[in-house]
Amino acid sequence: MAGTAAAGALAPAQDDRTARLPGAWRLGLLRGAMEIRMFFRLREQVVFTFAFPIVFLFLFASIFHDDMANTGSTASQYYVASMIAAGIMSTSFQSLGISIAIERDDKVLRRLRGTPMPPAAYFLGKIWLVLATGLLETAALLVFGSTVYDVDLPSDANGWLTLGWIFVLGITGCALLGIAISSVPKSGKSATSVVVLPFLVLQFISGVYILIDTVPGWMLTVGAFFPLKWMCQGLRGVFLPDAAAALEPAGSWEYGRIALVLAAWCVGGLVLCLLTFRWKNRNDG
Amino acid sequence: MSLSVSTGGGPGVHRSVDGSVAVRPFPAGAGGGTVGSMTDDVVKVRGLRKRYGEVNAVDGVDLGIRRGEVFGILGPNGAGKSTTVEILQGHRRRDGGEVTVLGQDPGTADRAWQARVGIVWQDESAAAELTVAETVGHFARYYPRPRDPAEVIDLVGLTGKAGSRTKALSGGQRRRLDVALGVIGGPELLLLDEPTTGFDPAARRQFWSLIRRLADEGTTIILTTHYLDEAEALADRLAVIAAGRVVAEGEPGSLAGRAQARATVHWAEPDGTARSEETDTPTRTVAELAGRFDGDIPGLRVTRPTLEDVYLRLIGSEDR
Ligand SMILES: Nc1ncnc2c1ncn2[C@@H]1O[C@H](COP(=O)(O)OP(=O)(O)OP(=O)(O)O)[C@@H](O)[C@H]1O
Ligand SMILES: [Mg+2]
């Protein structure tokens, strides 16, 4: 019949079909563009994502507006570093941890799994999304800090470079950690509680809210296992004068170790995602 | 048109004029037979089992589905239809039995295989901040040989809604989008789990012609439905599943002895009383009546059991 003739003409060879499967990198870019578009179409989400660190910077800079003892620097200078780090973690770890759990519930992941899309393209798309939103959030914080609280921005290329690599390594590691934790909650409904509690705890023990030299030693030890403590520390190095390094537990900014820990989280986070990521809910047979 | 179709070198299923298909019995015990006709089955299922806790959702299902065939699966709620379809697609793991779909085990199949299988789930959720055109266009990019997104949107009748966000679609429109996403990759095998739920009658007819067109192009289609008219209109062959087992399999017209079943002749007596008679020879009954009535027989009807009659008897609830 007609179908048979048409089929003969159109039938692709088996290996031809394999060769033409779109690659993970290109699909990752496409997914990233789509995720960003969807993100900005949700007004409410955009407003609250960007407002979060700015509101906290406002609160802390207003409460502790005194100069910091022995450092020749100000509280707003300290908290701008903290809030950039916390903002990076909230746009990556927190928002991915929650949104992916909801996507799993809403069968978005099942739909994707039913296509030949390589899983890496999904993860890459999420990383592009958080890079874009994290960058915008950081920029918003810097503009707000420098105009309202006279925060000094890095004065040389070196400072910006340090800010840059901490941002990229930190946000990638936290994003992978967020993708990994999204598999922990049983459903999208419980995702917020599961994700927010560890994030809040980490912020306290990593010296985001409380000055690092007043955080108990054992808390710092626990915090040192996670990326947030190191992001805060590296960013303080960018925004505080060198004298302030004396307040650090190690007495220095420890950039070598920061790079090592953050890079380790990027690799470890990726392995964790690949090993533990679930495309369907546990009760979904 | 860029539909990817492969006949695999074997003969397709040839529909005869009346829509019936030459029935080849399932090759029982032919395990891995190399004869061309035997390996032409696109879907081979033997002794499929799936448990959810204490529930035996699928309890020993055997199926053989040939290339180019439209295969209907009927059965009451909870019979195991969705579970079976989702195992064929690779979403669910089976607990027992052999399954081969397009030459591979769905449980371990690769991306290239996934590109050849399209699915419309029973419970979809494609709602998002994207428009219909964006969604369909985006999914097309995942496939090596997708169909034209605009054409697919047109085929499911969503052209007027192409620029609407999917969350603003009505239930039936969203269902049509699900169908669009199922066929966008130009699948060789299309799995449809109650695809027309929520369709208005016109959309349902449009969907039927889409299915017929895909079938003519060589796509193998597995369709579960609760609409018996849909099954009768579309399916070359049907299986009725109840409590996780296949209770009947065959062409819609002859399922479970339907073609051989006795006919009923209905007519009205001159005084208006309705009469009917069950018979193996309805033609003779009508001829006798024609002689008696000397002209037109009032209220003459000859009926055979409908698919619904057969179906209800099969699942054991004709008295309900
Ligand atoms: N995720 C699950 N967890 C536990 N039990 C399940 C799950 N999915 C299905 N079941 C059970 O398995 C059986 C078969 O379900 P299935 O969804 O395959 O039925 P179905 O034939 O598709 O029914 P319907 O016509 O209502 O769609 C039912 O008894 C159902 O309760
Ligand atoms: Mg079902």
Side-chain angles (χ1 to χ4, degrees), chain A residues 1 3 7 11-12 16-17 22 27 31 34 37 41 106-107 110-111 114-116 118 280 284-285, chain B residues 5 15 50 89 91-92 111 114 116 119 121 123-125 129-130 134 141-143 145 165 188 216:
Chain A
M1 271 168 61
D16 180 30
R17 195 185 288 124
L27 286 183
R31 280 208 60 82
M34 195 201 62
R37 199 182 307 163
R41 283 182 184 174
D106 286 351
K107 318 278 185 188
R110 183 186 66 179
R111 173 83 262 171
T115 73
K280 51 185 179 183
D284 197 8
Chain B
V5 173
R15 242 158 288 229
K50 172 74 181 178
Q89 188 269 342
H91 175 68
R92 287 190 195 282
R111 287 179 60 207
Q114 201 63 257
R116 298 160 66 200
I119 182 162
W121 274 276
D123 56 332
E124 283 271 11
S125 166
E129 296 300 320
L130 296 176
E134 284 170 339
R141 306 295 290 269
Y142 295 151
Y143 291 89
R145 286 167 173 264
R165 302 251 174 116
E188 280 172 57
D216 282 345

Side-chain angles (χ1 to χ4, degrees), chain A residues 67-74 213 241-247:
Chain A
D67 289 353
M68 287 165 65
N70 321 325
T71 62
S73 189
T74 62
D213 63 339
D242 280 341
L247 297 182

Side-chain angles (χ1 to χ4, degrees), chain B residues 259-298:
Chain B
Q260 289 81 44
R262 304 184 75 180
T264 310
V265 179
H266 308 256
W267 75 94
E269 291 295 340
D271 62 1
T273 342
R275 294 276 313 272
S276 67
E277 186 179 309
E278 242 183 64
T279 169
D280 283 323
T281 52
T283 313
R284 188 188 299 161
T285 310
V286 172
E288 284 167 13
L289 285 171
R292 258 178 57 199
F293 276 97
D294 178 32
D296 216 36
I297 310 166

Side-chain angles (χ1 to χ4, degrees), chain A residues 32-43:
Chain A
M34 195 201 62
E35 299 256 20
I36 291 168
R37 199 182 307 163
M38 290 202 291
F39 176 85
F40 283 102
R41 283 182 184 174
L42 274 176
R43 283 284 141 63

Side-chain angles (χ1 to χ4, degrees), chain B residues 3 81 224 275:
Chain B
L3 180 75
K81 303 182 296 296
T224 81
R275 294 276 313 272

Side-chain angles (χ1 to χ4, degrees), chain A residues 283-285, chain B residues 52 55 57 75-83 92 122 194 226:
Chain A
N283 52 8
D284 197 8
Chain B
Y52 298 109
V55 182
N77 293 138
K81 303 182 296 296
S82 297
T83 303
R92 287 190 195 282
Q122 181 173 0
E194 300 186 28
H226 290 297

